[in-house]
Amino acid sequence: MIPLALTLEGLYSYQKRQTIDFNKLTSNHLFGIFGTVGSGKSSILEAITFALYGKTDRLLLSGDNRNYNMMNLKSNLLFIEFDFLAGQNGQEYRIQYTAKRNSKKYHDVKSSPRVFYKKKGSDYIPISESEITDTIGLSYDNFKRTIIIPQGKFQEFLQLKNTERTRMLKELFSLHKYELSPRVKNLEMTNNAHIQKLEGRLEQIGDISEEQVDTLKKQLATVEATLTTLTSLLKEQEQKLVALDKLKENVQQLKDLQNKKIILDQQKESITQLKKNLANYEYCIVNFKNTIDTLTLSKQKLQALRESLNLDSATLNKLQSKHKKIEADFKLLSADFNRIEELKREAEDLKKLVEIKKLERKAEEGSQRLKNGTKTVAKVIDKIEQVKTEDKKEQERLIALKKQLPQIEIINQAQQWHLKKDSIHQSMKDVTSEQSAFIQQLRKLEEEIVHQLKKQALPFSIDNKTLLMDKLNQKLASEERELKQLNDQKEHLLIQSGLEKYAQALKEGEACPLCGSDHHPQPLDSNTISQQIKHLKHKTENLEKTILQTRKLNSYIEQHIAGIKPLEIQLKNIEIKLEKLHKEDTIHQNKVIKPYEDKEILKEAANSYQQIKTQLETCESKLSKLRDCLLAETKKKDHYQIALTDIQRELDKNINSKEVLEGQIPPSLIEKYKDHNDELLIEKAKKLQEKASDINQLFEKTRKQVEDNKNAMAALQGKIDVNQRHLESETEQTSKLKEKLQQDMENSDFKNIDQIQSMLKLELDMKTSKEKIETYYQNTQRLHHDIQKLTTELNKQTYEAPKHQLAIAKAKETKEKLSEANRQHGKIQSMVNDLSQKLLLQKDLKAQLNKLKLRAADIETLRKLFYKSGFVNYVSSVYLQNLCAAANERFYKMTRQTLSLELSEDNNFEVRDYMNGGKLRSVKTLSGGQTFQAALALALALADNIQHIKQTERNFFFLDEGFGSLDKESLDTVFSTLKNLRKENRIVGVISHVEEMQQEIPTYLNITQNEETGSYIEESWNR
């Protein structure tokens, strides 16, 4: 992850919005963030971690009210925007976060969710938080341990317990893929489940054989023969049953038809009467119904016309009386109506008079405003001229200052040249100092070897270390051979000592119990042997002490030679470094910037540049203010002039309008009302308008009533005339209908109209009635035909129920036997099929079971291999050892080859102290500065591994503590290490209040805090 830009506003002590350009800040690969305690240095790191993870160490708990406490107390807006590169291809991302304070409730701070973007071309496309997290590939805690290390967290990895450190390494190096125990356990459970399932299925199958299948097949053949016999018998019985069922059905059907004939004979009389009524009803419908209905309707119309004529005549009489009264009132109103125009003119003239008085007052006000405005414009013009004069003077001063300004590009180049020169000289000094330290250590080790050799009185030279060790080893081998010879002699004497009792018991002439000889010329002398054994024992003890001293000396010298070899290698490397630095210094000296080779001259030029630049900024600021003032005054002048033009135009307009209105009003009226105020005139005009309006409304209302009354009387008279003609026509039509009805009755069988109306009241459904009659005759005919047909088919046969029941019983018995035989056949066939399938299944299951048991043995081997997290812990320890080795490459140099890191058996860090015989001790015994050096070396090694895993070209590493615990020499060593990291294409940032660090790092941010405006970021390249 490489930062590009960070924008802050309202975060902790940062009140105003400020942006950090990391492209410039990281251009030198080593940068710093400096400032006093509490100035806001660490807040920059908190902003980055909060943007990435939504967490901060200071406000991590839920009850911390993070939104309120993160926001600056003088701010109403908290804003963070972080741009950075991440991933193998260096993809650019952006994260934004905003929180706002409630204007009505100070402690209520509402935040919006963090928003994530990915840059595509020139656009930023919204993405999910998970995509950012996956790209970075680190949890919040591990990010703080390896990339951005805040205060209090730097030594955490060094002092973590084994379990927590293993968990961290699992996440950092994706060691979860080696967590194979659960997967093996799942394999074992699945395999065991399959075995148990197969064993269960084999138990369900039970013991079966081919003999059981053969026996069942013989039983099946017997049952199939029985089935053939029963099927033939059942077929014959069913044919007899079909014939008996048919006879029974015909006899019963004949009986049902005879019963239906009786019912139809009973319905004959009602059908005959229905047929007669239907003929009479149809005749009345055709010949009388239309005439009767029309006559009834005509009578109703006559009654309605007579009632309407009587009502309309009475209404007409009332309207005529009312019309006479309204016409009298209308004549009286006509006289007042003729005076309306006169009243309206007088009211309009009064309104115009009021307008004339208003225009007179506006003209007076406009004249006064025009006079005052002219004076104001004159003052503004004078001020503009003064500003122009002052602006010209400042421009001349600006030109003169620019001519005096030194070339800043040359000054910057000279400063960079001097910085590099100082860096080269400092490096030469550091390397020379390091060389002296190595030589001193080397001499010390050699002196200690010489001292030990002299102490042992050994005349060996130390010029050739290999030859020295060969001589010492030869001496040790010689002493060990001599000791072996002495032990062999001692063993021989001890054997002789054991023969002493036999020698004392020997007598001349008696046989020896060992050799059998009876002659003993020289028997064993026990005193001589004891003295020899005592002498050899003393000599052996002295020789063993000598060998022990020789071994200690060999080990001591071997350890010192082992310490000398790396020192000699380091000295050779230092000589190469010094040679390179001298060459680099010579090349750099040829690139000197001639005018500023002297630092004092460069310093004076830089100070002169800053002074003139400050004067230029003051001059430019003053010019800017003068021009702003000139622009403002010019705009003011233009505004005033436009306003004066508008006032003059309005004044002319008011005077013209007044003259026009005066020409429209009689002079007598003006004279009459010249002393009246506007309110009285308006009130007078209003009353005149209201009076004219009232007269007009009443006149129109009365005129409309006269017209409406006339129209109503004319309409009513017309209606009466029309209804009278309709009455006469309807009376004549009714007479004709009565005559026609009488004539039709005379030509029919009906005597009077009552008989006809009685028949029509039946309201028969002719279609349904005709269908009913037709259906009756059809059913009667069809029934007669069916009875004759069945009588012929039966041919005098009779149905005997007992005989039929006996045939049914026999067929049923045969069916039951056949069903039982089929059941037995199906059962046996099913058993045969089932046993055959089970035999095949049993073979297949046994084969599968054998395979699974072999697999179970393999899985058991894997389970033991990957038991719990043993394999992961082993892989973790390998990674930790590699990490320790990588860290030692720096830690060994930082400590001047006096300390190195190692791992104990339980994977905890220990320190090997070469100043104390290379013995091991706990990391807790390290001083504060040494602990910082060890933690720094481990953190850099972790960062190297993460860079390798993420396959990124550059790596970013940030430190926020630790430098204050180091002495001057350790601080120089750490700083030299940090500078060397630039060669590894790594970006390193440090946060510190230590002044020595600020002097050594040319690219930095300086954080200052002001009580009013909060923290302010100053950039070294803009100072």
Side-chain angles (χ1 to χ4, degrees), residues 253-263 783 787 791:
Q253 191 174 0
L254 180 60
K255 189 184 289 185
D256 292 340
L257 290 173
Q258 289 171 345
N259 290 333
K260 287 181 180 179
K261 185 175 180 302
I262 293 169
I263 293 170
L783 191 62
I787 291 171
T791 303

Side-chain angles (χ1 to χ4, degrees), residues 331-341 343 695 699:
K331 288 179 181 178
L332 293 173
L333 282 170
S334 296
D336 292 335
F337 181 74
N338 292 332
R339 294 183 61 250
I340 283 178
E341 290 302 323
L343 292 172
I695 293 170
F699 178 81

Side-chain angles (χ1 to χ4, degrees), residues 196-252:
Q196 293 168 3
K197 186 177 179 181
L198 289 176
E199 289 175 343
R201 291 178 68 183
L202 286 170
E203 288 178 5
Q204 290 177 353
I205 292 171
D207 296 329
I208 56 175
S209 64
E210 294 285 350
E211 290 76 11
Q212 291 176 324
V213 177
D214 294 339
T215 302
L216 287 173
K217 284 182 178 179
K218 290 177 182 178
Q219 293 178 6
L220 185 65
T222 303
V223 173
E224 285 176 348
T226 305
L227 278 172
T228 304
T229 304
L230 289 172
T231 303
S232 177
L233 177 62
L234 181 62
K235 186 176 181 181
E236 294 174 2
Q237 291 174 343
E238 284 181 343
Q239 288 175 353
K240 291 179 182 179
L241 275 176
V242 168
L244 288 170
D245 289 339
K246 182 66 175 174
L247 177 61
K248 179 182 179 182
E249 183 182 352
N250 288 342
V251 170
Q252 184 63 40

Side-chain angles (χ1 to χ4, degrees), residues 537-554:
K537 184 178 180 182
H538 177 70
K539 191 174 181 180
T540 301
E541 288 175 353
N542 291 335
L543 187 57
E544 284 178 346
K545 290 179 181 179
T546 303
I547 289 172
L548 181 61
Q549 290 176 354
T550 303
R551 283 177 178 169
K552 286 182 179 179
L553 177 64
N554 285 10

Side-chain angles (χ1 to χ4, degrees), residues 200-451:
R201 291 178 68 183
L202 286 170
E203 288 178 5
Q204 290 177 353
I205 292 171
D207 296 329
I208 56 175
S209 64
E210 294 285 350
E211 290 76 11
Q212 291 176 324
V213 177
D214 294 339
T215 302
L216 287 173
K217 284 182 178 179
K218 290 177 182 178
Q219 293 178 6
L220 185 65
T222 303
V223 173
E224 285 176 348
T226 305
L227 278 172
T228 304
T229 304
L230 289 172
T231 303
S232 177
L233 177 62
L234 181 62
K235 186 176 181 181
E236 294 174 2
Q237 291 174 343
E238 284 181 343
Q239 288 175 353
K240 291 179 182 179
L241 275 176
V242 168
L244 288 170
D245 289 339
K246 182 66 175 174
L247 177 61
K248 179 182 179 182
E249 183 182 352
N250 288 342
V251 170
Q252 184 63 40
Q253 191 174 0
L254 180 60
K255 189 184 289 185
D256 292 340
L257 290 173
Q258 289 171 345
N259 290 333
K260 287 181 180 179
K261 185 175 180 302
I262 293 169
I263 293 170
L264 287 174
D265 291 342
Q266 292 173 353
Q267 294 176 352
K268 185 175 181 181
E269 184 178 353
S270 62
I271 293 298
T272 303
Q273 183 62 41
L274 177 61
K275 186 175 181 182
K276 181 180 178 182
N277 288 340
L278 182 61
N280 289 333
Y281 180 75
E282 188 174 3
Y283 182 84
C284 289
I285 289 293
V286 173
N287 295 290
F288 297 114
K289 187 175 186 307
N290 188 38
T291 305
I292 290 173
D293 289 344
T294 306
L295 182 60
T296 302
L297 183 60
S298 183
K299 287 179 179 179
Q300 291 173 355
K301 286 182 179 180
L302 283 173
Q303 180 65 28
L305 286 170
R306 290 190 184 100
E307 291 175 357
S308 179
L309 282 170
N310 292 334
L311 181 61
D312 290 342
S313 298
T315 303
L316 181 61
N317 291 332
K318 289 180 181 179
L319 285 173
Q320 287 172 347
S321 300
K322 184 179 178 182
H323 182 65
K324 290 178 182 179
K325 183 180 178 183
I326 291 171
E327 278 191 332
D329 293 339
F330 184 68
K331 288 179 181 178
L332 293 173
L333 282 170
S334 296
D336 292 335
F337 181 74
N338 292 332
R339 294 183 61 250
I340 283 178
E341 290 302 323
E342 183 181 344
L343 292 172
K344 286 182 178 180
R345 271 197 308 275
E346 187 176 355
E348 286 298 322
D349 289 343
L350 289 173
K351 287 181 180 179
K352 289 178 181 178
L353 184 59
V354 171
E355 188 64 26
I356 288 169
K357 291 188 175 186
K358 288 181 179 179
L359 289 171
E360 287 177 349
R361 289 195 295 272
K362 285 183 179 180
E364 291 176 1
E365 291 174 1
S367 298
Q368 186 60 39
R369 286 178 63 199
L370 189 64
K371 184 177 179 182
N372 295 336
T374 303
K375 293 179 180 178
T376 303
V377 169
K379 291 179 181 179
V380 171
I381 291 171
D382 291 341
K383 188 172 182 181
I384 287 172
E385 292 301 323
Q386 292 176 2
V387 172
K388 283 181 178 180
T389 302
E390 193 171 350
D391 179 83
K392 185 177 179 182
K393 291 179 181 178
E394 287 300 323
Q395 283 184 11
E396 292 172 353
R397 182 168 175 259
L398 182 65
I399 293 168
L401 287 171
K402 284 182 177 179
K403 289 178 180 179
Q404 299 173 17
L405 187 67
Q407 294 183 7
I408 188 60
E409 293 81 6
I410 297 176
I411 291 174
N412 288 336
Q413 290 175 5
Q415 287 176 337
Q416 292 298 322
W417 185 87
H418 279 286
L419 285 172
K420 188 172 181 181
K421 178 184 176 183
D422 293 343
S423 176
I424 293 170
H425 287 177
Q426 183 61 41
S427 297
M428 291 170 68
K429 182 180 177 183
D430 294 343
V431 172
T432 303
S433 175
E434 188 176 359
Q435 185 183 39
S436 301
F438 283 148
I439 292 171
Q440 186 177 355
Q441 290 180 31
L442 183 63
R443 288 175 179 171
K444 183 179 179 182
L445 290 172
E446 288 178 344
E447 287 171 359
E448 288 175 353
I449 292 172
V450 170
H451 175 71

Side-chain angles (χ1 to χ4, degrees), residues 64 75 101 111 172 174 239 271 274 302 305 412 483 523 550 586 646 679 748 750 755 762 776 848 939 970 1004 1008:
D64 286 338
S75 299
R101 193 186 302 279
S111 65
L172 287 177
S174 301
Q239 288 175 353
I271 293 298
L274 177 61
L302 283 173
L305 286 170
N412 288 336
L483 178 63
T550 303
T586 303
D646 292 341
E679 289 77 9
S748 69
F750 295 98
Q755 291 179 350
L762 293 175
Y776 172 79
Q848 292 181 38
S970 297
Y1004 59 86
T1008 58

Side-chain angles (χ1 to χ4, degrees), residues 71 76-78 98-103 108-112:
M71 185 178 287
N76 294 320
L77 174 67
L78 169 58
T98 306
K100 295 182 180 179
R101 193 186 302 279
N102 190 335
S103 59
D108 183 17
V109 177
K110 299 292 184 184
S111 65
S112 302

